[in-house]
Amino acid sequence: MFTEVLQRLGLNAVNSGTRGLTSIDQPTGSRFASVNPATGTTLATVVGTGEADYEQIVAGASRTFATWRTWPAPRRGEVIRQLGQALRQHKADLGLLVTLETGKILSEGEGEVQEMIDMCDFAVGLSRQLHGLTIASERSAHRMFEQWHPLGPVGVITAFNFPVAVWAWNAALAAVCGDVIVWKPSPQTPLTAVAVQKICDRVMADNNCEGLFNLCVGDVSIGERMAADRRLPLISATGSCAMGCRVAATVAGRLGRSLLELGGNNAVIITPQANLDLALRAVLFSAVGTVGQRCTTLRRLIVHESLADSFATKLRQAYASILIGDPWQPGVLLGPLINDRAVTQMLAALDNARQQGGEILCGGRRLDRPGFFVEPTLVSAHANMPIVREETFAPILYLLTYRDLDEAIAIQNSVEQGLSSAIFTDSLTEAETFLSARGSDCGIANVNIGTSGAEIGGAFGGEKDTGGGREAGSDAWKAYMRRQTCTINGGRELPLAQGVRFEIPTT
Ligand code: UN1
């Protein structure tokens, strides 16, 4: 069954991870195994991008940009419309491949492909709405306006946990904005990247825009080259805070732009005014979904002290009922972690939690079976324990208590990351306080919705150590363009701004 899926997506036992304008038949980089984390077996191998291959890709991307930027934006949108159609046709296969390579359950694998399709639809509409402002000039017969031009080839570095959706956030927008895309996927998930690139290859060939989408499979060294490469005016990077710091410093060193979507340490506050059934379902999805490997995963549950014991009991019951198993099987809600290292990191975090005074309420063990399976884990903890302030990419939920809403908000805001946050309450006053300027300090703040599973229509990203970038919806497209302020003098005089006089003396 799995072999047929790979075949339908045009994948072989060994695949080239270098694709784009150049036809590099024999890439020279090292080999990356695509491993099914549910079994530990290799699905296929991808040959990475060598130094010379990289050079060809980026030089080609610069050449393609010179023509792609001249296409009218709605025509660029038509290419993305066709990409969305091609993704629709391959949704089931690509969704299953995401499941096989990342271990997320099938519904989430397909949801990720849906997120790509939604992004394409959004970008098609946007291709007719790259609006600039008209601005009132202080000078008579003058007109000021802003226009937005394509920026250049952009580098997109993505993480394993959303191996294709986050690429689409960037690539669909960048393409309609007139940019060319050079993508470095996570070396953990090279196969979905090759599959998506092959779909792109067909759409590009049909539209005579080969070289618009480019792929460089590689490890951190390719990412470092991209960050230092002046031919890539924007680097969009998703991953850990440590990775983001390195990328940001290198890109800033050449005065380039970076768009960062880094770690989260997301919290939900549950007040005595909350609908607890709603809260329980939301907490489960946000804390356990994707095996706790979303940047939006719920990591800290801040419950009013009057509810803490009863809610913990309900959560333990719910955790016990979760079916763990092969992520492609119906009914399974929890697949494996991405690799052995992730399991080790989770167990180390739990050791730290115990040493720092935490108590494991349920879960905490690795399962005795092939692959990288763990139990979803609840830990009773305190907000100031160092481990609670760290992001561990695993299904660990720390339970914290509070007395009044100000304290809950202070706990919520006390960590260095600032991605996603939520409150469960039916009190308008509590909800509005949470959303006010003295409320959540995160880029995403929800009421009666969990921290994860954002729609693409909003701008996605966070503050503080999350990096400050915004991707996907709203006006996130502006990051992929350069703004030009234009002033036209339609008169016969030359008045200067601010009333400055600079007359040439008449002799
Ligand atoms: C990520 O984990 O990097 O809001 C992105 C969500 C998804 C995106 C997560 N739409 O959970």
Side-chain angles (χ1 to χ4, degrees):
M1 168 184 137
F2 296 157
T3 326
E4 283 162 22
V5 170
L6 300 194
Q7 276 168 3
R8 282 201 296 273
L9 290 167
L11 301 167
N12 304 311
V14 181
N15 305 274
S16 166
T18 306
R19 300 181 75 90
L21 181 72
T22 44
S23 57
I24 299 166
D25 294 330
Q26 292 187 320
T28 57
S30 29
R31 287 175 171 241
F32 295 88
S34 167
V35 173
N36 178 347
T39 58
T41 54
T42 297
L43 291 160
T45 299
V46 175
V47 185
T49 304
E51 301 238 328
D53 310 334
Y54 172 84
E55 197 45 45
Q56 283 196 55
I57 288 284
V58 178
S62 300
R63 283 196 302 277
T64 306
F65 175 66
T67 48
W68 179 246
R69 67 182 169 184
T70 66
W71 286 39
R75 267 188 71 206
R76 301 193 294 246
E78 168 57 20
V79 175
I80 299 305
R81 190 188 67 76
Q82 292 180 31
L83 177 60
Q85 284 303 103
L87 290 169
R88 277 184 175 87
Q89 280 156 18
H90 292 286
K91 181 175 170 183
D93 286 339
L94 202 50
L96 179 54
L97 185 64
V98 169
T99 289
L100 292 175
E101 198 174 42
T102 65
K104 62 174 77 175
I105 61 170
L106 202 50
S107 171
E108 292 191 62
E110 289 186 358
E112 178 153 359
V113 182
Q114 187 60 46
E115 197 159 344
M116 302 173 81
I117 295 166
D118 294 344
M119 243 355 266
C120 289
D121 289 355
F122 179 85
V124 175
L126 187 67
S127 71
R128 292 182 185 267
Q129 300 178 78
L130 301 171
H131 295 147
L133 293 172
T134 297
I135 299 154
S137 170
E138 67 190 52
R139 290 171 279 183
S140 60
H142 281 52
R143 185 164 72 82
M144 264 202 292
F145 63 94
E146 286 180 347
Q147 56 179 357
W148 294 86
H149 286 307
L151 187 63
V154 303
V156 178
I157 299 173
T158 56
F160 78 84
N161 64 332
F162 275 83
V164 288
V166 172
W167 169 80
W169 291 355
N170 287 279
L173 289 191
V176 297
C177 288
D179 300 340
V180 168
I181 294 92
V182 178
W183 179 21
K184 188 196 103 57
S186 161
Q188 301 286 337
T189 51
L191 205 56
T192 42
V194 174
V196 167
Q197 179 69 36
K198 281 180 179 262
I199 293 170
C200 291
D201 286 350
R202 287 195 288 278
V203 173
M204 290 189 293
D206 289 349
N207 290 278
N208 291 318
C209 57
E210 284 91 345
L212 168 59
F213 299 109
N214 302 278
L215 178 66
C216 293
V217 170
D219 58 18
V220 65
S221 62
I222 291 273
E224 280 166 358
R225 273 193 83 166
M226 287 168 72
D229 197 328
R230 297 183 72 89
R231 294 169 296 182
L232 303 174
L234 171 69
I235 299 292
S236 170
T238 303
S240 68
C241 295
M243 178 280 294
C245 278
R246 286 201 304 277
V247 168
T250 308
V251 175
R254 60 176 172 90
L255 300 178
R257 265 191 223 174
S258 46
L259 199 175
L260 302 172
E261 200 255 287
L262 310 175
N265 192 345
N266 316 296
V268 159
I269 297 171
I270 300 183
T271 85
Q273 321 295 326
N275 174 334
L276 294 180
D277 291 335
L278 206 67
L280 185 69
R281 282 165 49 203
V283 165
L284 268 190
F285 174 61
S286 286
V288 178
T290 332
V291 204
Q293 296 173 117
R294 289 191 190 216
C295 56
T296 49
T297 291
L298 171 60
R299 311 213 176 273
R300 297 176 298 141
L301 187 61
I302 309 169
V303 188
H304 190 265
E305 58 180 7
S306 64
L307 299 169
D309 288 344
S310 59
F311 200 76
T313 306
K314 281 190 184 155
L315 263 181
R316 283 163 74 157
Q317 283 162 359
Y319 268 50
S321 70
I322 283 171
L323 186 59
I324 308 177
D326 289 328
W328 52 87
Q329 296 291 358
V332 168
L333 290 184
L334 197 83
L337 284 170
I338 188 70
N339 55 25
D340 207 45
R341 206 172 121 226
V343 177
T344 310
Q345 282 171 345
M346 172 169 172
L347 299 178
L350 292 175
D351 279 346
N352 284 336
R354 276 190 211 94
Q355 279 160 25
Q356 292 166 19
E359 185 197 344
I360 308 228
L361 300 180
C362 69
R365 285 172 310 191
R366 180 179 193 152
L367 297 197
D368 184 18
R369 55 165 284 175
F372 315 114
F373 289 86
V374 292
E375 292 172 332
T377 304
L378 281 174
V379 180
S380 169
H382 298 285
N384 51 7
M385 283 164 46
I387 193 68
V388 173
R389 308 171 67 78
E390 273 176 37
E391 179 190 48
T392 305
F393 234 48
I396 303 174
L397 179 61
Y398 297 109
L399 296 181
L400 316 171
T401 58
Y402 77 92
R403 285 204 179 131
D404 64 49
L405 189 58
D406 284 346
E407 183 192 0
I409 291 172
I411 294 172
Q412 133 72 35
N413 291 346
S414 69
V415 293
E416 273 155 11
Q417 309 86 345
L419 180 55
S420 187
S421 59
I423 191 168
F424 279 79
T425 180
D426 283 346
S427 152
L428 183 70
T429 310
E430 287 183 334
E432 289 290 338
T433 304
F434 180 74
L435 297 178
S436 74
R438 66 183 181 90
S440 163
D441 65 0
C442 291
I444 297 170
N446 296 334
V447 176
N448 295 340
I449 297 174
T451 52
S452 62
E455 303 175 20
I456 58 100
F460 184 94
E463 303 300 333
K464 305 193 289 185
D465 285 7
T466 302
R470 292 296 187 278
E471 292 172 299
S474 184
D475 64 352
W477 60 270
K478 290 178 177 169
Y480 304 86
M481 301 199 86
R482 62 185 169 86
R483 183 197 308 242
Q484 190 167 61
T485 303
C486 308
T487 310
I488 299 179
N489 180 0
R492 302 244 173 250
E493 305 295 323
L494 192 72
L496 299 179
Q498 296 89 41
V500 170
R501 303 194 69 81
F502 201 84
E503 307 292 341
I504 300 170
T506 45
T507 49

